[in-house]
Amino acid sequence: MPAGALLGRLWGWRSAFLAVALVSLPALLALLRSPVAPAPGRTSAPGRSRAPGDGSPAGDGSPSGDGSVSGDGSDSGDGSDSGGGSPVGTGAPPGDGAPSGPGAVLPGRAERPGARRESRALRRPRLLVTLVLGALVNGATFCTFTYLAPLLTRTAGFGEDRVPLLLALFGLGSFAGVTLAGRLADTRPTPLLLGGGTALLAGWAVFALTAGNPVAAAVCVLVQGTLSFAVGSTLIARSLSAATEAPTLAGGFSTAALNTGAALGPWAGGLALDAGLGYRAPLWVSALLVTAAFATAGTAVALTRVRARRPFRRGKRPAPGTACDEGADRESGSARESGGARETGSARESGGARKSGGARERA
């Protein structure tokens, strides 16, 4: 982006498009020259197939049906593998007629979720809410980034020759944000989203209020680039983890959500500019989009809690596998345990009473 801005200033906006084509050319040549590798886990390599029940190890390093890899060429030590002599990952008993030989497709390895099954997995409310949050946060980012040059030159007072440097500063911040998210998104996603989202919202408001100060504007460019991409990258990670049953389409849907935000954010900022609200208006629009993300997340959490409590209000037992069901099971289990303890104690007391009575009679 900084290079494109510099080229556009020196040789016109068409030079930036030509530069993008030239940068893409080596990647295109590399793709054309790269060998096409077969899809992992589809077929067994010639000469390395296994007959069912032959006890031979899966030493080709191929992944098993459950995601594990037996790449050391050794079996379990007793001549049989973990499946009891069945092919790895098939779950089939030995001698059941599973295909073997060069190029044979093992039953457990050829199964992959189809597009219809992945589409059903992508309809889950948790995933849809995460995608909406990603679109809103990314829309806020690109709403300001699209109009950053006129904001810096006409409001903050920077010269046009400084714009590439400030865009590079934003890029450094985005790199720092992605690095931060990569270290914390898997271990502490909730604190990162809540704390980073709150700081992001406050940062857009501070940027709008201090945009006339060059030093404050430069600092906000760096900070907001960091926060925007830290929160956005964490939302991408959460959307992928919420769609483990859709490994092919989940990444595409996440990218589509971010690109939707990248289109709607600048469109909303352009409406604010056309309304004559000034060059700070995109900053306030960015703040409103992050506020909408918080409102969406809060509504989703509230609805989830209401649905979790509804079975108890109606006097019905919650569906198996839910958190409410697990809590009810724990409560009933505790009640059974306490009841059993009371019964056992009563039995011991009555037994002791009978023994003492017999002793008195013998005396």
Side-chain angles (χ1 to χ4, degrees), residues 224-324:
Q224 291 304 100
T226 303
L227 293 173
S228 296
F229 280 83
V231 176
S233 300
T234 304
L235 288 171
I236 294 176
R238 301 314 299 166
S239 65
L240 294 176
S241 65
T244 55
E245 297 181 6
T248 305
L249 297 180
F253 270 65
S254 300
T255 304
L258 295 182
N259 285 330
T260 300
L264 294 179
W267 172 75
L271 292 179
L273 289 173
D274 287 341
L277 300 179
Y279 291 104
R280 301 178 193 229
L283 295 170
W284 292 114
V285 173
S286 296
L288 289 176
L289 290 174
V290 177
T291 302
F294 270 105
T296 302
T299 303
V301 172
L303 291 176
T304 301
R305 292 179 178 177
V306 169
R307 291 176 181 175
R309 297 172 182 173
R310 188 173 299 171
F312 292 102
R313 293 177 180 176
R314 295 181 178 178
K316 297 181 180 179
R317 182 174 179 82
T322 60
C324 299

Side-chain angles (χ1 to χ4, degrees), residues 9-342:
R9 182 172 178 271
L10 295 176
W11 297 310
W13 61 269
R14 290 182 176 84
S15 62
F17 286 86
L18 294 175
V20 171
L22 292 177
V23 169
S24 304
L25 185 59
L28 176 61
L29 295 177
L31 288 173
L32 294 176
R33 294 177 59 86
S34 298
V36 179
R42 280 293 181 182
T43 59
S44 57
R48 293 182 179 269
S49 60
R50 300 186 50 198
D54 64 351
S56 59
D60 56 352
S62 59
S64 62
D66 58 354
S68 60
V69 179
S70 341
D72 55 354
S74 61
D75 15 79
S76 57
D78 57 353
S80 62
D81 36 54
S82 59
S86 61
V88 178
T90 64
D96 64 339
S100 61
V105 179
L106 296 180
R109 298 185 182 181
E111 296 180 359
R112 284 190 176 185
R116 183 175 299 176
R117 180 180 173 185
E118 290 198 20
S119 299
R120 288 196 297 268
L122 292 173
R123 299 172 190 168
R124 294 177 178 175
R126 176 188 172 190
L127 174 62
L128 295 177
V129 170
T130 307
L131 293 176
V132 171
L133 296 180
L136 290 173
V137 170
N138 203 50
T141 302
F142 283 91
C143 175
T144 294
F145 187 72
T146 301
Y147 305 105
L148 192 58
L151 172 68
L152 294 174
T153 55
R154 302 186 185 184
T155 302
F158 286 101
E160 292 186 0
D161 56 337
R162 302 288 182 179
V163 171
L165 296 178
L166 293 169
L167 293 177
L169 190 63
F170 184 90
L172 290 176
S174 65
F175 177 79
V178 171
T179 304
L180 178 66
R183 294 181 179 274
L184 299 178
D186 291 334
T187 57
R188 310 183 72 179
T190 302
L192 181 58
L193 289 175
L194 290 178
T198 303
L200 182 63
L201 174 59
W204 289 130
V206 171
F207 197 177
L209 295 174
T210 62
N213 187 313
V215 177
V219 173
C220 288
V221 166
L222 176 64
V223 172
Q224 291 304 100
T226 303
L227 293 173
S228 296
F229 280 83
V231 176
S233 300
T234 304
L235 288 171
I236 294 176
R238 301 314 299 166
S239 65
L240 294 176
S241 65
T244 55
E245 297 181 6
T248 305
L249 297 180
F253 270 65
S254 300
T255 304
L258 295 182
N259 285 330
T260 300
L264 294 179
W267 172 75
L271 292 179
L273 289 173
D274 287 341
L277 300 179
Y279 291 104
R280 301 178 193 229
L283 295 170
W284 292 114
V285 173
S286 296
L288 289 176
L289 290 174
V290 177
T291 302
F294 270 105
T296 302
T299 303
V301 172
L303 291 176
T304 301
R305 292 179 178 177
V306 169
R307 291 176 181 175
R309 297 172 182 173
R310 188 173 299 171
F312 292 102
R313 293 177 180 176
R314 295 181 178 178
K316 297 181 180 179
R317 182 174 179 82
T322 60
C324 299
D325 184 49
E326 293 174 0
D329 289 341
R330 285 195 297 269
E331 293 177 1
S332 60
S334 301
R336 286 195 298 270
E337 291 176 2
S338 60
R342 288 194 297 269

